[in-house]
Amino acid sequence: MKTLFLIIISTVFVNNFVLARFLGLCPFMGVSRRIETATGMGMAVVFVMTVAATVTWNIQNFILVPFQLEYLQTIMFILVIASLVQLVEMFVRKVSPPLYQSLGIFLPLITTNCAVLGVALLTVQKDLGFFQTMVFAFGSSLGFTLALVLMAGIREVEELADVPKPFKGTALAFVTAGLLSLAFMGFSGMVK
């Protein structure tokens, strides 16, 4: 139980996929303009990342390794992620059309979100067990969501601030992301 708790703390704060590993920057920068959109995207990523890591762990351990097909790992993982994103897209379109409209092109981009593939590959590289994989993926997706929502909150406030013209928009967003990354580095001594 202590190990699982440490995995969650590590993935959310210490080794945050966006702010420490720099994975998933495209949706991080693209969807972090409004808190509502960032929260919706975060919840979609939580679902996709957790289920994808769980399914890919099973594929790795029950199909690829026993039949010595490890060389198909990347393509299999991408197929699983793409399928899950399609399911999430259909669900969000049916349940919440306004959220689907606000996410726009970024919902299908979860397919190419390197953080989702990164979690699946890291769980295999770290040789994590099934429950550790689920916790690692869930914690990583919570960390992604936390970074996304924090950035959205800051960017909403920045829109009201008197910012010099050269720093408006993307430039200020990257400076803010760098400062958030530095702030999260303060957690680095907590867990290895």
Side-chain angles (χ1 to χ4, degrees):
M1 191 64 164
K2 181 180 177 185
T3 304
L4 299 179
F5 178 72
L6 290 176
I7 289 173
I8 286 186
I9 296 299
S10 172
T11 55
V12 172
F13 298 109
V14 180
N15 297 313
N16 186 290
F17 265 68
V18 177
L19 301 174
R21 295 183 189 261
F22 305 111
L23 294 172
L25 288 177
C26 178
F28 175 71
M29 295 306 287
V31 184
S32 63
R33 293 172 199 238
R34 298 277 171 249
I35 291 176
E36 299 81 28
T37 308
T39 304
M41 177 65 138
M43 292 303 107
V45 168
V46 166
F47 176 77
V48 170
M49 201 178 279
T50 304
V51 173
T54 304
V55 171
T56 55
W57 185 91
N58 284 304
I59 288 172
Q60 176 72 19
N61 288 293
F62 296 116
I63 296 173
L64 298 180
V65 171
F67 295 106
Q68 298 176 350
L69 298 171
E70 292 93 346
Y71 61 91
L72 294 174
Q73 179 185 73
T74 304
I75 192 71
M76 289 296 292
F77 289 7
I78 290 171
L79 287 172
V80 167
I81 292 166
S83 300
L84 287 171
V85 168
Q86 288 300 312
L87 290 172
V88 168
E89 186 175 7
M90 289 186 311
F91 178 77
V92 170
R93 185 182 316 149
K94 187 145 188 112
V95 171
S96 179
L99 178 60
Y100 178 77
Q101 290 296 334
S102 66
L103 288 174
I105 188 68
F106 294 105
L107 190 58
L109 283 179
I110 295 175
T111 305
T112 59
N113 185 345
C114 56
V116 179
L117 181 60
V119 165
L121 293 173
L122 281 172
T123 58
V124 170
Q125 288 175 357
K126 292 176 177 275
D127 197 29
L128 298 176
F130 181 73
F131 290 112
Q132 291 174 327
T133 295
M134 287 177 56
V135 170
F136 183 82
F138 183 71
S140 298
S141 61
L142 285 181
F144 181 86
T145 302
L146 175 67
L148 198 61
V149 171
L150 282 173
M151 184 67 165
I154 293 169
R155 286 181 80 176
E156 282 186 3
V157 171
E158 286 175 350
E159 285 181 8
L160 302 173
D162 186 25
V163 178
K165 191 171 184 174
F167 285 107
K168 284 193 181 264
T170 307
L172 186 57
F174 275 111
V175 170
T176 304
L179 291 172
L180 271 175
S181 181
L182 285 172
F184 271 66
M185 284 178 67
F187 295 113
S188 62
M190 288 176 57
V191 180
K192 292 183 181 185

